[in-house]
């Protein structure tokens, strides 16, 4: 099973690992695109106002530009510890047992605008690049990632569970993946799409899938794992699920 997580805008700072080593990351076929994007971010960081504009940041977030300038010098941390925020708080890899953490590292991967796909143990630095960003002199991110990411993901024979948000889903289409959305249901049974808090429920589902003793091989087994974890997940179509939460 491969669970595709969205990244987060916020990143944990620091880390115990040495500087970024692209050759040590999983999926080396993605390295040419990774290098091109890293070089572009570092060059752009020389012009702070241009960086703020391209990355959609305010002046108060100028430290994010400095992180990009130091991409090749700053310490690294495993990808599942680098990202923070609502989804990763709910995933809470720090509280997993050693066996569960090993499963999380094997089963979960982060869809990254900078690294394409970061597996759980991939040591990466803090950085700033969003799925919807446009970098001067480069084509759109989807044009850079689709030619290399889509064949990689198409070759995954196991169950693929897609928890990515819209901007990151456009970086690589995965037609065979099981897509998951979150809906809230009021007392009258009326449902609507959950916005911000959908991340927490996706994080809970990702945690349940990481903790499952056996990897789900199909949608039926995935639903059983979710139910055992106390989540209400319904099948909307062959490859479409929704997590239903009370409003």
């Amino acid at each position: 099973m491969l669970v595709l997580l969205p990244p987060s805008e916020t990143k944990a700072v620091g880390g115990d690992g040495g500087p970024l080593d692209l050759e040590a990351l999983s999926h080396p076929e993605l390295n040419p695109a990774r290098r091109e994007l890293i070089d572009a971010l570092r060059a752009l960081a020389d012009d702070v106002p241009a960086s703020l504009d391209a990355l959609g940041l305010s002046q108060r977030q100028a430290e994010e530009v400095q992180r990009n300038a130091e991409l090749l010098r700053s310490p690294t941390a495993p990808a599942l510890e680098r990202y923070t925020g609502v989804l990763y708080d709910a995933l809470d890899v720090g509280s997993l047992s050693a066996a569960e953490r090993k499963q999380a590292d094997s089963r979960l991967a982060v869809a990254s605008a900078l690294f394409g796909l970061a597996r759980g143990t991939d040591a990466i630095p803090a950085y700033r690049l969003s799925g919807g960003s446009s970098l001067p002199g480069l084509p759109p991110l989807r044009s850079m990632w689709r030619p290399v990411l889509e064949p990689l993901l198409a070759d995954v024979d196991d169950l693929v569970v897609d928890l990515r948000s819209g901007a990151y889903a456009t970086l690589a289409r995965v037609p065979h993946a099981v897509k998951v959305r979150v809906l809230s249901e009021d007392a009258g049974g009326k449902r609507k799409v959950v916005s911000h808090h959908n991340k927490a429920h996706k994080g809970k589902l990702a945690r349940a899938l990481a903790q499952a003793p056996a990897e789900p091989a199909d949608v039926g087994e995935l639903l059983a794992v979710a139910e055992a974890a106390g989540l209400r997940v319904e099948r909307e179509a062959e490859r479409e699920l929704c997590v239903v939460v009370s409003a």
Side-chain angles (χ1 to χ4, degrees), residues 4-13 57 61 64 67-68 78-91 109-115 118 124-133 163-165 167-168 196 199-200:
L4 298 175
L5 303 176
S8 60
E9 299 290 359
T10 55
K11 316 284 191 304
V13 298
L57 302 175
Q61 296 171 294
E64 301 278 5
R67 290 184 183 182
N68 287 347
L80 288 181
E81 297 173 23
R82 175 60 69 197
Y83 298 96
T84 61
V86 176
L87 187 151
Y88 291 89
D89 286 345
L91 174 58
V110 182
S112 163
L114 182 57
F115 297 105
I124 60 174
Y127 68 91
R128 186 61 179 249
L129 180 65
S130 302
S133 299
L163 302 183
R164 297 174 299 168
S165 52
Y168 295 94
H196 178 69
K199 297 177 182 178

Side-chain angles (χ1 to χ4, degrees), residues 36-121:
E36 191 170 5
L37 287 165
I38 288 170
D39 289 346
L41 280 179
R42 292 177 66 226
L44 184 62
D46 290 337
D47 186 336
V48 174
S51 288
L52 295 176
D53 183 60
L55 300 173
L57 302 175
S58 68
Q59 186 62 48
R60 290 179 297 177
Q61 296 171 294
E63 73 279 359
E64 301 278 5
V65 178
Q66 186 61 30
R67 290 184 183 182
N68 287 347
E70 298 173 353
L71 268 170
L72 298 181
R73 305 192 302 273
S74 56
T76 57
L80 288 181
E81 297 173 23
R82 175 60 69 197
Y83 298 96
T84 61
V86 176
L87 187 151
Y88 291 89
D89 286 345
L91 174 58
D92 192 14
V93 293
S95 68
L96 296 175
S97 69
E100 291 170 342
R101 176 58 189 269
K102 186 175 181 180
Q103 291 175 175
D105 288 336
S106 171
R107 299 172 184 177
L108 310 182
V110 182
S112 163
L114 182 57
F115 297 105
L117 196 67
R119 303 305 294 247
T121 55

Side-chain angles (χ1 to χ4, degrees), residues 1-3 107 156-161 176-178 209 215-222 239:
M1 175 180 60
L2 175 63
V3 182
R107 299 172 184 177
V156 177
D157 293 328
D158 298 327
L159 178 70
V160 178
V161 183
H176 65 291
V178 176
L209 294 173
E215 292 188 23
D218 55 36
V219 175
E221 292 181 6
L222 189 161
R239 295 187 178 275

Side-chain angles (χ1 to χ4, degrees), residues 10 58 69 134 154-155 173 184 192 197 204 229 232 247:
T10 55
S58 68
S134 296
D155 284 342
R173 298 159 296 189
S184 67
K192 65 179 180 179
H197 294 293
K204 291 176 183 178
R232 181 182 171 191

